[in-house]
């Protein structure tokens, strides 16, 4: 949530910063701004709206400076407005700060600072940081910055500038991601690597409670706990600039759906990492998949799959788990966090709670080096490549395949699956890529979306391992189309929602190719009898998916549902990449 950027080097910082913000826009897009040091001091052009709108109104090409910081916002404290847009300054305008996260004790700090004569301009929590630096500044910017950080409670990734120190940007991180991209005679700072991948793939990833100083030719990092200088590893990022580009597609979401075949096969690259996780969980009494949103649906699939294979597992929403189940864990439990970003605050908090109870923790994550991978005992990657659209699509496919592989490996290890069956399943997982490609090639979904573009209420129904598919199909539609859509366990319909069925409702029913088929058919008859329209999804159904083992059907069935949501959104004239009120990486509780 919120993207922050920084640049110091020979190029024109305002232009570089707006380019970087554009690549971070998926993190928040209600306002944007930059602070750069010009001849006359710090200038802060900023405004309400998406990055392109703000950029067009400010014309960064006409500005001049070689050092600056930038921010694209997802509002937490204070409405989206120019005054609340970052960066923020102290009373004198000598220090400027951009921040991602939440300063939990900002009201307390603000009161203290106001008593000492500071006056505030915005409603944000961030502004206290600039005033704290002003308060502590005695000629040493870094020291004042460290003292200010010492006062903060909460999560932050911070970049700070000063007119007194025109060659340096100060950076800090606690529970919000921050990377330094290392260039030749220039350095970049960003919440996420795609912001600078076109310039460099060498990076330093800050850990919690670390801070530092970045100049055009140097970097130095320190521990906030000990004050000691740190030797930070230089990492080479594997993602390419091209992967983070839209290519010829109208939207990132459409591009990413078309990358789903690759995402399926790439997830198999995590086999060795998943086997290591499997070795550890085999001695655990209970396995919990913990995640949020789409990733939670992948966890729910994992639960059903493990159970189908004779293993016990639970799936929990991270924000619930951390305040409930986590309290009853012990060292015989395993918690497997699933996350595209690896930065979701609730998922991180759930893992921390599990660790505090002595549970084994692992994560299935897409973003290499993200917070969850630093926190968990073991990590397995989905290798889906950068996912930019707010709506998660290809990462979900990667998560499903990873979870399937983990479940199969676990079942084999626990002798619930013999070697031959394991290999049959594994071979089919390798073939999933082609099956997804067949769905994408069939090109049927846009016409269907056109016929449903004015429907006001959708239900998505599924049973067992396709119940998560129903939840995910509905989430995707409501997220990017703002249409009411509910995912339901098909058998539950008659316990309430059947009362809503009439000719205004469309139901998408995921039809299994197994012994539950008849049950869903009965549910469909009940719906049709009440006048609602039913669209079936399955082998030889209205929306056709290729045949596979029923336990893998969710990996296929979701693909047309992703496309369906995409086309409905586009037909409504919306931007599916940047749905209102949302941000890709939810780094606040
Ligand atoms: O990065 P994560 O996978 O941890 O994110 C979890 C959810 O915020 C995310 O899946 C969200 O539900 C998506 N926008 C859904 O498309």
């Amino acid at each position: 949530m919120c993207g922050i950027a920084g640049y110091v080097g020979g190029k024109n910082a305002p232009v570089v910063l707006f380019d970087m913000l554009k690549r971070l826009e998926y993190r928040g897009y209600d306002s944007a701004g930059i602070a750069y040091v010009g001849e006359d001091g710090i200038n802060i052009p900023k405004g309400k709206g998406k990055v392109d709108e703000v950029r067009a109104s400010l014309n960064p090409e006409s500005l001049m400076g070689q050092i600056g910081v930038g921010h694209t916002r997802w509002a937490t404290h204070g409405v989206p407005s120019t005054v609340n847009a970052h960066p923020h300054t102290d009373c004198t305008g000598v220090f400027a700060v951009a921040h991602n996260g939440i300063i939990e004790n900002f009201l307390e700090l603000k009161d203290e600072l106001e008593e000492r004569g500071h006056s505030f301009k915005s409603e944000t929590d961030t502004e206290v940081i600039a005033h704290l630096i002003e308060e502590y500044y005695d000629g040493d910017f870094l020291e004042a910055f460290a003292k200010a950080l010492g006062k903060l409670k909460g999560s932050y990734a911070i970049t700070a500038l000063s007119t007194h120190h025109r060659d340096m940007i100060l950076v800090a991180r606690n529970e919000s991601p921050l990377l330094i991209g290392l260039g030749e005679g220039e350095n970049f700072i960003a919440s996420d690597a795609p912001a600078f991948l076109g310039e460099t793939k060498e990076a330093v990833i800050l850990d919690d409670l670390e801070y530092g100083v970045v100049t055009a030719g140097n970097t130095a990092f320190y521990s906030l706990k000990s004050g000691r200088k740190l030797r930070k590893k230089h990492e080479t990022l594997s993602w390419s600039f091209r992967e983070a580009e839209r290519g010829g597609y109208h939207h990132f979401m459409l591009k990413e759906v078309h990358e789903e075949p690759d995402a399926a096969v790439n997830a198999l690259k995590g086999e060795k990492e998943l086997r290591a996780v499997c070795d550890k969980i085999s001695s655990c009494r209970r396995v919990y998949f913990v995640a949020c949103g789409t990733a939670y649906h992948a966890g729910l699939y994992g639960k059903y799959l493990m159970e189908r294979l004779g293993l016990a597992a639970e799936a929990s929403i991270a924000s619930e788990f951390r305040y409930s189940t986590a309290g009853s864990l012990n060292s015989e439990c395993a918690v497997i966090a699933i996350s595209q970003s690896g930065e979701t605050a609730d998922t991180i908090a759930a893992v921390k709670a599990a660790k505090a109870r002595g549970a084994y923790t692992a994560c299935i994550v897409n973003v290499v080096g993200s917070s969850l991978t630093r926190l968990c005992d073991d990590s397995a990657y989905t290798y889906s490549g950068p996912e930019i659209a707010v709506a998660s699509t290809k990462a979900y496919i990667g998560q499903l395949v990873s979870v399937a592989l983990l479940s199969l490996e676990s079942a084999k290890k626990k002798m619930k699956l013999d070697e031959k069956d394991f290999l049959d399943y594994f071979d089919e997982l390798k073939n999933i890529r082609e099956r997804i490609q067949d769905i994408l090639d069939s090109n049927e979904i846009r016409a269907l979306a056109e016929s449903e573009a004015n429907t006001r209420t959708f239900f998505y129904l599924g049973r067992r391992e396709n119940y998560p598919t129903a939840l995910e199909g509905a989430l995707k539609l409501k997220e990017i189309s703002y249409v009411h859509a509910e995912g339901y366990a098909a058998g539950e319909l008659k316990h309430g929602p059947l009362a809503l069925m009439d000719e205004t409702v469309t139901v998408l029913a995921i039809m299994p190719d197994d012994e539950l088929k008849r049950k869903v058919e009965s549910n469909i008859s009940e719906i049709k009898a009440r006048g609602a329209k039913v669209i079936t999804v399955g082998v030889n159904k209205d929306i056709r998916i290729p045949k596979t083992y029923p336990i893998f059907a969710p990996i296929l069935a979701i693909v047309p549902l992703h496309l369906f949501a995409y086309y409905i959104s586009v037909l409504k004239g919306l931007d599916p990449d940047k749905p209102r009120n949302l941000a890709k990486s939810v780094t606040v509780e």
Side-chain angles (χ1 to χ4, degrees), residues 292-295 338-342 344 347 390-392 399 475-476 479 584 586:
C292 302
T294 290
I338 305 176
S339 174
Q340 188 287 127
S341 62
T344 300
T347 310
V390 167
S392 189
Q399 289 162 356
L475 172 65
K476 215 87 317 174
E479 180 178 25
K584 180 129 190 96
V586 186

Side-chain angles (χ1 to χ4, degrees), residues 486-554:
E486 277 191 60
Y488 240 85
E492 269 292 286
L493 210 68
K494 56 190 173 293
H495 299 289
L498 205 53
L500 293 172
M501 293 300 147
D502 63 21
E503 43 296 319
T504 66
V505 175
T506 293
V507 177
L508 287 106
I510 300 129
M511 299 287 296
D513 200 21
D514 60 18
E515 79 283 0
L516 290 181
K517 191 152 100 189
R518 300 272 168 260
K519 309 271 177 203
V520 182
E521 277 168 1
S522 308
N523 302 139
I524 289 175
S525 305
E526 291 153 13
I527 295 161
K528 283 187 172 164
R530 272 87 192 168
K533 178 173 173 185
V534 177
I535 298 169
T536 52
V537 184
V539 180
N540 296 323
K541 298 294 170 197
D542 302 329
I543 295 178
R544 287 175 293 149
I545 60 168
K547 203 167 171 52
T548 182
Y549 287 118
I551 56 169
F552 298 147

Side-chain angles (χ1 to χ4, degrees), residues 34-45 63-64 69 87 93 96 161 163:
I34 61 166
Y36 68 98
V37 184
E39 279 183 5
D40 50 345
I42 294 184
N43 300 303
I44 308 192
L63 310 173
M64 206 56 83
V69 299
L161 276 182
T163 46

